[in-house]
Amino acid sequence: MVGATVGTAARTSWDGGSATHRFRVVPAARPLTVLHRGVPGGPTSRASGDRAPAAPGAGTRRLDAVIRLNPEQLVFVTERHLATLTTLRADGTPHVVPVAFTWDADAGVLRITTNRASVKARNARLPGADGGAPRAAVCQVEGGRWITLEGTIEVVEDADEVADAVVRYGRRYRALSPNPERVVLRLTPDKVMASTYMA
């Protein structure tokens, strides 16, 4: 796939075994469909900490940049698991908390419901390091399986989108009680990393 790169992450171990994971790094604002394994002679490798070059107008959602997860990734993000959300505080230090989230395959975004006054919502309103949109990452882990979705994050208070997020949450986890202070954190990923069989 044009513009995608494949690299090898650090060796990790669990349940007495070990495996070397592979990850896919997806640049921003490129037309993408399904993430596949790389092919010999393909693009050069990119370290997991590197960020793809920002496209003109970064921070604005573009329909031609929608991330399409592959079938294995889609199954994983619809199973009932929690994840961690990492946002940045005003001083640049990471704030990491457990969250429940839902994936919207049509829009290519994930949503997290939270209270309007929560720390993560406050962090999502801060400007990014370059003055653009703030960035965040969600990482879901279950045994030897993992996936990380990284991208821009924003707070959404639109009543229809909040209601839709509540419905989606109920399908994946449980029904939520009414909460007038509920808002949605919408993360639009431009980078996806996953364990080997999902890459």
Side-chain angles (χ1 to χ4, degrees), residues 7 60 69 85 120 136 190:
T60 301
L69 301 184
L85 168 68
K120 49 186 175 286
D190 51 40

Side-chain angles (χ1 to χ4, degrees), residues 24 33-37 68-76 194 197-199:
R24 177 162 299 282
T33 51
V34 178
L35 303 178
H36 296 291
R37 292 174 184 259
R68 302 295 185 193
L69 301 184
N70 66 33
E72 291 84 3
Q73 293 167 344
L74 278 173
V75 168
F76 191 42
Y197 86 98
M198 288 190 289

Side-chain angles (χ1 to χ4, degrees), residues 70-143:
N70 66 33
E72 291 84 3
Q73 293 167 344
L74 278 173
V75 168
F76 191 42
V77 299
T78 53
E79 294 173 355
R80 193 179 188 277
H81 302 299
L82 296 178
T84 59
L85 168 68
T86 302
T87 56
L88 295 178
R89 301 183 180 94
D91 63 1
T93 58
H95 175 257
V96 186
V97 291
V99 294
F101 76 92
T102 58
W103 173 253
D104 184 337
D106 292 331
V109 301
L110 67 83
R111 296 185 179 91
I112 298 163
T113 62
T114 188
N115 287 328
R116 182 177 284 105
S118 68
V119 173
K120 49 186 175 286
R122 184 165 68 246
N123 292 344
R125 291 188 176 97
L126 296 172
D130 56 0
R135 295 184 65 82
V138 165
C139 181
Q140 177 175 293
V141 180
E142 193 277 327

Side-chain angles (χ1 to χ4, degrees), residues 3-199:
T5 59
V6 177
T8 302
R11 181 174 295 274
T12 57
S13 62
W14 65 88
D15 297 335
S18 65
T20 299
H21 297 316
R22 295 174 67 81
F23 60 80
R24 177 162 299 282
V25 178
V26 181
R30 293 289 185 87
L32 298 171
T33 51
V34 178
L35 303 178
H36 296 291
R37 292 174 184 259
V39 294
T44 58
S45 297
R46 183 188 302 277
S48 61
D50 291 348
R51 182 174 300 169
T60 301
R61 284 210 66 228
R62 294 172 42 128
L63 294 180
D64 63 348
V66 172
I67 292 289
R68 302 295 185 193
L69 301 184
N70 66 33
E72 291 84 3
Q73 293 167 344
L74 278 173
V75 168
F76 191 42
V77 299
T78 53
E79 294 173 355
R80 193 179 188 277
H81 302 299
L82 296 178
T84 59
L85 168 68
T86 302
T87 56
L88 295 178
R89 301 183 180 94
D91 63 1
T93 58
H95 175 257
V96 186
V97 291
V99 294
F101 76 92
T102 58
W103 173 253
D104 184 337
D106 292 331
V109 301
L110 67 83
R111 296 185 179 91
I112 298 163
T113 62
T114 188
N115 287 328
R116 182 177 284 105
S118 68
V119 173
K120 49 186 175 286
R122 184 165 68 246
N123 292 344
R125 291 188 176 97
L126 296 172
D130 56 0
R135 295 184 65 82
V138 165
C139 181
Q140 177 175 293
V141 180
E142 193 277 327
R145 300 184 298 163
W146 61 273
I147 186 169
T148 298
L149 300 113
E150 178 187 334
T152 57
I153 192 168
E154 58 189 311
V155 179
V156 179
E157 301 197 27
D158 175 74
D160 289 339
E161 185 158 352
V162 172
D164 181 62
V166 168
V167 171
R168 291 173 183 271
Y169 183 102
R171 291 178 187 148
R172 188 179 186 194
Y173 299 101
R174 60 177 177 80
L176 289 172
S177 301
N179 178 2
E181 293 301 307
R182 180 175 289 123
V183 296
V184 166
L185 303 184
R186 182 204 293 151
L187 190 151
T188 304
D190 51 40
K191 182 184 296 185
V192 175
M193 298 180 286
S195 48
T196 304
Y197 86 98
M198 288 190 289

